[in-house]
Amino acid sequence: MEQRGFLFNPNRCLGCRSCQVACAINHGLPPGVFLRKVTEIEFIRDKQIVKYYLSSSCNHCQNPECFRNCPEHAYQKRRDGIVVQDQSRCKGCGTCTRSCPFQAPVINPLTSKVTKCDFCHGRIEEDENPFCVASCPVDALQLLNLSTGIDIVLKLQKELPGVPRIQLTRPSVRYIPLQLGRQVGLQVGENRGDEHN
Amino acid sequence: MTKVYCNVCPADCPASCRMLTEVQNGRIISINGDPRDAYTKGTLCAKGYAYPERIYASDRILYPLKQRGKGSGKWDRVSWEEALEAIATKLIAIRENYGNLLPVCLDKYMGTTGILSHSVQGFFHSLGPVTQMIGTPCVAAGTDAMSLNYGKCQKPAPEDMLNSRLIIIWGANAAWTVPHQMRYIFEAQEQGAKLIVIDPILTATAARSDLYFQIRPGTDGVLALGLAKVLLDEDLLDHQFLTKHTYGWPEYKDYLATVDLQEVSEITAIPLTDICELAHLYGTSKPATIWIGLGLQRSLAGGQNTRAIDSLAALSGNIGKAGGNVHHLSYEYLTYAGEYTRLQLPSGIAGISDQQIPKDRIIGTGRFSELANLDPPLELLWIAGRNPVSQDPDSNKIKEVLRKIPLVVVADQFLTATAQLADYFLPVTSPFEFEDVVISYWHYGAAMNEQAIAPLGECQSDFAIMRQLAATLNRLSPGFSSFPTERNAEEWLDRELKPHLYGLLGITHYQDLRDRYFRVPLPSVPWQDYRFSTPSGKYEFFSLHAEKYGLTPLPIPDFQPSSSVAYPLRFMTIHSYASLNSQFSNLGNLRSLEKLPILYVHPETARLKNLEQGSKVKVYNQLGEIEFHTALSFTIPRDIVVTDLGSASRNYENENANALLRFSETDLGHLFTGYKGISFTNCFVNLKKVE
């Protein structure tokens, strides 16, 4: 079985939210409902500020909690590893929204049913990138086929600093290791090195 | 049946992205980037992707409205005939009463950068002398600075950064304001170039730099002088260039000898060793380029700051070289446009002959307090492509002035903070509803907007509105306007572009722009021949022209004002990814990215003010107060608080940040645009927790 996933480069992400809005608009979601979200990570380490942006959506986990917990069996894991959800089965109970450690499935208030990232598999089948990948002005987000072992060849990481480590569900996302430059003139207190997001 | 149309974003932004618009049964079903766009490679910003929401927004106004009392919110729908006849009657009455039309004022700016929107100025010129607000709140000081140093403001092609070994972004947050440029910067970085960012805030751009310098706002010129001093001390100079191609080097050198680096360090808040390291990196990495952003020039000494920074390129011999030079926005392409465009902001009044300058009464942009005290007084103000209440300093003063003007007309798509004080609101089409041409002031790409859908409701383009008003005027008072009402938009655009731009672009009609990416072929590396357009024909460190305009001939910035005991914190507004000035921030998709008006506060400052993450806080000074929600961040200095442009006005009824900003001018701007620029960085406030 294949496993498709995302490759994210925190050294390129601008926090511009193109992916987030391109996805939402092209999926015709009501304003404020997002299948992909960009968050800012900021904390102090060694008197320097670690600051970067993380764009995340459904991670199409190898052991998806949504799939395991859905009482309506609305979730499916496809042969290519993409986790899809069948709207016609969804009763909007929200079990998946509570069981997903990444808060990927969300309720669409227009339908009262859950919706989530489907990896734009329809577009992929037509050799087009998902809206999020296609909209990134700097190629910070790309597609990855984890079955090829490329993540090991490229020394990709499974986690990023300052983000809770959640590996139980085996999320299909890999990261380029974060690089940081040197910052001059910052006013980070001598004794106030406690991390905060 | 789906049809795809070519469009281009006309927002006041460097990227001018080409878009592909899918239309089904007369309705737009998707808008995405056009992969044929050589600059953007087919991607848009978040705002661009939100266009479908903007076009069909429920708060977009689709019919002409008349307000029963300014600011009352009681709007009545009227017909175009009724609205334009009332306005025309007023114009005719003004001329009868005053014998001229000076009581009529136009305030038009870059709400749309489409060439056709210049027909608004064209209309007002057709009436004879009127009052016009001119100048630019955007790039006035920097454009003048570049013009003083080089004779005119020229820039390298954006892709020339790929040739740089060192890129300094000075006072710009490209990641949020020109995200596409970051692609070229990242590619340069991957080829070994270093990225340095100088900014008071550790922005999204600064976070990706190899080296970041947190500078005290407004002291950029002082830092540049310090760097120049180190270049001199360490002999990292291009002596041949200095001797052959510059004017005033001996005087500049003498001045630099007096610069005290310790003092530079204290003023700029950057340690001495780091100043030396930065100078050394810039002086030894060849070629090196500097991108001078808009932020730093909107300070009191913004012009001289820009001149001083730019002088580093001359000292180090980076001028005229691929991968070198200084990147700065330029409106050079507009000098090739037809008569109406050339007369316009922000190209200003420079470079056109006296006969072409209409005998208008000229008021500087944003100077609303002057509008209230004119003789003859203002009777009618027409505002198009502009939202001064939100964007200009001292919002409350502007509101007060708008209330006093007998007839205020606002042409826009939404009931902006300014439109709320209009007597008539005229609904303007979105860029997808009429044909137009847009040329980027960054990459010089030229693209056209096809009409993808019929105008929504009764919306009309600015051009159609002006043409209809001219016809109405001439019906009521034959010969009142010389605006060519017989000419349609296509003819107008054709005539505007034909004289120069068709030849430069290699096209025979502007509709050819649909077919592929076109660019006005200005040199991708300027000044290769070292023939400068200054009075001396050389690069000028010492500018007699500057002296004529009341400045020190050398690029020495004046001292900056600082905070006071009562108002110890500098309040800065920054451009957000979710809005373009006041545009786009009303859209649900973009508003929901940041639901509340946020004030970024350094944790130490927050502790002193008893604030926590999420606390409600009042920002206040002599001019007023605004409520925000606190967000703690170490990315800003202790003595600065920051909000994003549009944050406070997220809800139209709310105050906006400029309500706390007193009007002040930058040192330059009058040379090129006729008026000095506006300083936006000298706003001092205090905080109080809202219990």
Side-chain angles (χ1 to χ4, degrees):
Chain A
M1 190 169 130
E2 258 193 318
Q3 181 60 59
R4 320 247 356 201
F6 291 107
L7 169 60
F8 179 73
N9 185 349
N11 304 310
R12 279 198 166 217
C13 181
L14 308 170
C16 74
R17 275 78 171 179
S18 277
C19 52
Q20 182 167 350
V21 177
C23 164
I25 292 270
N26 280 299
H27 284 98
L29 296 172
V33 178
F34 296 109
L35 305 184
R36 173 169 285 281
K37 284 180 191 151
V38 177
T39 46
E40 184 184 317
I41 314 292
E42 182 193 317
F43 60 93
I44 304 282
R45 188 173 67 191
D46 304 330
K47 291 185 190 169
Q48 294 273 286
I49 295 172
V50 179
K51 170 171 167 170
Y52 67 95
Y53 295 87
L54 175 60
S55 167
S56 57
S57 69
C58 167
N59 288 316
H60 301 277
C61 301
Q62 284 183 298
N63 300 328
E65 282 291 280
C66 51
F67 172 88
R68 196 170 69 84
N69 287 318
C70 176
E72 307 300 329
H73 306 288
Y75 284 87
Q76 257 192 312
K77 185 139 178 90
R78 296 169 25 129
R79 297 180 68 83
D80 54 10
I82 298 172
V83 177
V84 291
Q85 182 242 20
D86 182 351
Q87 288 273 297
S88 67
R89 283 175 175 250
C90 177
K91 295 248 172 32
C93 69
T95 306
C96 55
T97 63
R98 291 184 293 275
S99 55
C100 171
F102 306 102
Q103 290 98 44
V106 290
I107 300 268
N108 180 344
L110 289 186
T111 60
S112 298
K113 291 181 178 190
V114 163
T115 181
K116 75 168 220 31
C117 161
D118 64 356
F119 215 77
C120 289
H121 61 78
R123 281 171 67 86
I124 288 185
E125 278 143 26
E126 286 172 21
D127 256 353
E128 290 201 72
N129 274 323
F131 289 114
C132 54
V133 173
S135 64
C136 181
V138 291
D139 297 331
L141 188 66
Q142 291 176 306
L143 297 183
L144 193 64
N145 193 336
L146 286 163
S147 333
T148 60
I150 184 113
D151 52 326
I152 294 152
V153 177
L154 293 176
K155 297 198 171 104
L156 301 178
Q157 296 188 333
K158 290 184 179 173
E159 57 186 314
L160 284 168
V163 179
R165 188 185 168 168
I166 302 163
Q167 291 298 329
L168 200 67
T169 60
R170 301 181 69 200
S172 305
V173 60
R174 296 293 181 271
Y175 306 107
I176 308 265
L178 177 69
Q179 290 167 1
L180 292 169
R182 191 164 78 82
Q183 299 152 352
V184 173
L186 289 182
Q187 297 172 1
V188 291
E190 292 295 319
N191 308 313
R192 305 192 66 82
D194 43 335
E195 296 197 351
H196 78 113
N197 281 327
Chain B
M1 172 68 185
T2 305
K3 197 170 173 223
V4 178
Y5 293 87
C6 292
N7 289 99
V8 52
C9 178
D12 186 3
C13 161
S16 302
C17 301
R18 279 173 171 256
M19 302 176 283
L20 293 177
T21 307
E22 251 185 307
V23 177
Q24 207 173 55
N25 303 323
R27 195 178 163 91
I28 291 173
I29 55 166
S30 82
I31 294 172
N32 282 293
D34 183 345
R36 298 171 306 171
D37 190 320
Y39 179 69
T40 67
K41 316 277 187 200
T43 62
L44 305 176
C45 70
K47 303 172 283 286
Y49 285 108
Y51 259 124
E53 190 189 344
R54 190 165 198 252
I55 296 161
Y56 297 111
S58 57
D59 57 344
R60 186 174 155 198
I61 308 297
L62 305 180
Y63 302 93
L65 300 176
K66 182 182 180 186
Q67 189 166 213
R68 279 182 262 157
K70 289 192 186 83
S72 71
K74 291 177 185 149
W75 294 92
D76 297 315
R77 181 173 160 184
V78 292
S79 68
W80 275 104
E81 291 71 26
E82 189 185 336
L84 294 180
E85 218 168 285
I87 296 163
T89 306
K90 178 76 177 171
L91 283 164
I92 293 163
I94 290 169
R95 199 172 67 179
E96 275 170 14
N97 292 342
Y98 291 89
N100 61 58
L101 286 169
L102 294 181
V104 175
C105 181
L106 172 65
D107 186 14
K108 156 90 171 49
Y109 197 58
M110 307 265 285
T112 167
T113 60
I115 298 281
L116 193 62
S117 77
H118 296 300
S119 55
V120 178
Q121 288 96 328
F123 167 83
F124 281 90
H125 289 149
S126 82
L127 303 178
V130 293
T131 302
Q132 274 215 72
M133 298 188 88
I134 68 158
T136 157
C138 183
V139 289
T143 304
D144 268 17
M146 299 294 279
S147 304
L148 288 175
N149 287 8
Y150 298 91
K152 62 179 176 179
C153 183
Q154 284 193 320
K155 64 186 290 303
E159 295 86 352
D160 190 48
M161 284 190 194
L162 287 169
N163 299 316
S164 305
R165 299 293 299 163
L166 179 77
I167 299 167
I168 300 181
I169 303 182
W170 200 322
N173 183 11
W176 284 6
T177 56
V178 206
H180 302 101
Q181 190 61 26
M182 293 304 287
R183 171 192 292 270
Y184 302 99
I185 290 169
F186 287 145
E187 277 179 31
Q189 260 180 315
E190 279 162 11
Q191 292 166 27
K194 275 208 163 20
L195 173 65
I196 294 176
V197 173
I198 303 170
D199 199 300
I201 302 161
L202 193 141
T203 60
T205 309
R208 303 279 64 82
S209 64
D210 296 291
L211 196 50
Y212 162 68
F213 293 86
Q214 187 157 66
I215 188 172
R216 184 168 290 141
T219 66
D220 308 86
V222 176
L223 177 62
L225 292 173
L227 297 172
K229 161 96 170 171
V230 179
L231 292 177
L232 172 68
D233 288 352
E234 297 199 15
D235 194 21
L236 296 168
L237 304 170
D238 183 332
H239 292 283
Q240 200 184 348
F241 181 82
L242 289 173
T243 315
K244 278 190 165 169
H245 305 295
T246 68
Y247 178 79
W249 168 232
E251 290 86 346
Y252 194 32
K253 189 176 166 182
D254 288 348
Y255 174 74
L256 290 178
T258 69
V259 169
D260 176 355
L261 286 174
Q262 195 56 50
E263 204 182 323
V264 170
S265 170
E266 278 156 28
I267 292 172
T268 60
I270 295 175
L272 185 56
T273 50
D274 297 299
I275 293 174
C276 294
E277 184 191 341
L278 174 56
H280 200 80
L281 267 172
Y282 182 70
T284 56
S285 314
K286 297 284 169 65
T289 194
I290 304 174
W291 179 0
I292 300 183
L294 305 179
L296 71 97
Q297 58 176 272
R298 294 177 190 152
S299 60
L300 297 178
Q304 291 288 52
N305 283 347
T306 305
R307 283 187 71 210
I309 295 168
D310 183 71
S311 78
L312 299 171
L315 295 174
S316 58
N318 272 302
I319 291 173
K321 307 237 171 83
N325 287 300
V326 166
H327 290 257
H328 185 279
L329 297 185
S330 168
Y331 297 97
E332 200 188 354
Y333 69 91
L334 284 179
T335 55
Y336 300 103
E339 82 180 292
Y340 286 112
T341 301
R342 258 193 302 166
L343 282 170
Q344 294 333 310
L345 306 172
S347 55
I349 53 170
I352 52 173
S353 66
D354 286 346
Q355 296 87 351
Q356 282 178 293
I357 301 173
K359 302 287 172 251
D360 286 341
R361 178 164 64 179
I362 301 295
I363 305 291
T365 188
R367 277 79 167 171
F368 275 81
S369 49
E370 286 180 36
L371 281 193
N373 300 305
L374 292 175
D375 183 29
L378 277 201
E379 293 278 349
L380 190 158
L381 173 64
W382 187 288
I383 299 173
R386 187 104 175 84
N387 182 6
V389 170
S390 168
Q391 296 311 113
D392 287 343
D394 205 348
S395 312
N396 293 326
K397 178 73 194 173
I398 298 171
K399 287 184 192 173
E400 188 190 311
V401 173
L402 290 177
R403 282 178 196 279
K404 283 185 191 150
I405 298 171
L407 186 63
V408 175
V409 180
V410 172
D412 209 311
Q413 292 177 50
F414 295 91
L415 279 183
T416 62
T418 303
Q420 287 175 38
L421 293 165
D423 297 286
Y424 282 95
F425 180 91
L426 305 180
V428 181
T429 38
S430 81
F432 303 86
E433 295 156 43
F434 69 103
E435 212 168 76
D436 203 353
V437 170
V438 170
I439 303 174
S440 157
Y441 48 69
W442 180 245
H443 58 87
Y444 297 152
M448 80 167 286
N449 260 321
E450 287 186 282
Q451 184 180 352
I453 52 169
L456 263 58
E458 291 181 3
C459 292
Q460 297 203 50
S461 69
D462 282 312
F463 167 78
I465 295 170
M466 299 337 293
R467 186 163 84 144
Q468 203 182 328
L469 179 57
T472 307
L473 274 167
N474 289 343
R475 178 167 53 78
L476 297 175
S477 172
F480 197 95
S481 159
S482 62
F483 191 83
T485 50
E486 70 288 356
R487 214 182 282 159
N488 64 25
E490 184 178 338
E491 289 169 86
W492 181 287
L493 276 172
D494 186 50
R495 287 171 69 108
E496 195 60 16
L497 299 169
K498 196 181 240 164
H500 308 286
L501 283 163
Y502 281 179
L504 284 168
L505 291 163
I507 57 175
T508 53
H509 192 270
Y510 70 86
Q511 286 171 347
D512 296 345
L513 295 173
R514 202 172 15 204
D515 302 335
R516 63 175 176 85
Y517 181 82
F518 285 90
R519 179 178 284 195
V520 181
L522 293 165
S524 68
V525 179
W527 311 119
Q528 289 182 75
D529 55 5
Y530 297 143
R531 290 160 83 138
F532 300 98
S533 324
T534 51
S536 64
K538 297 180 172 188
Y539 178 94
E540 294 196 351
F541 293 114
F542 188 95
S543 167
L544 293 169
H545 215 148
E547 197 170 36
K548 207 175 90 186
Y549 282 92
L551 291 169
T552 323
L554 290 171
I556 306 168
D558 276 341
F559 279 104
Q560 298 288 311
S562 54
S563 56
S564 61
V565 177
Y567 306 110
L569 301 164
R570 191 188 290 262
F571 180 41
M572 295 183 83
T573 47
I574 60 164
H575 281 79
S576 156
Y577 55 84
S579 65
L580 202 163
N581 297 329
S582 66
Q583 293 178 339
F584 295 93
S585 56
N586 59 316
L587 305 180
N589 265 302
L590 298 172
R591 283 170 75 133
S592 62
L593 294 171
E594 192 109 74
K595 288 193 179 69
L596 301 165
I598 297 288
L599 184 79
Y600 295 93
V601 183
H602 189 283
E604 189 61 25
T605 308
R607 195 181 59 78
L608 294 171
K609 295 287 174 188
N610 207 16
L611 299 166
E612 288 155 21
Q613 179 80 17
S615 298
K616 258 193 179 177
V617 60
K618 206 173 267 180
V619 180
Y620 68 94
N621 66 10
Q622 306 94 318
L623 296 183
E625 56 181 51
I626 310 177
E627 252 181 46
F628 289 94
H629 288 76
T630 311
L632 303 183
S633 177
F634 282 106
T635 60
I636 51 173
R638 287 193 188 96
D639 57 351
I640 298 179
V641 290
V642 175
T643 187
D644 61 89
L645 253 169
S647 179
S649 55
R650 196 140 287 159
N651 183 341
Y652 285 144
E653 284 76 42
N654 272 1
E655 290 296 337
N656 62 71
N658 283 353
L660 302 187
L661 176 66
R662 202 179 283 283
F663 183 90
S664 56
E665 290 180 333
T666 59
D667 53 350
L668 278 170
H670 42 326
L671 180 70
F672 190 68
T673 69
Y675 269 87
K676 288 182 174 182
I678 300 173
S679 170
F680 287 92
T681 57
N682 289 292
C683 181
F684 294 95
V685 298
N686 208 337
L687 306 182
K688 188 176 179 351
K689 185 175 182 177
V690 180
E691 300 294 344

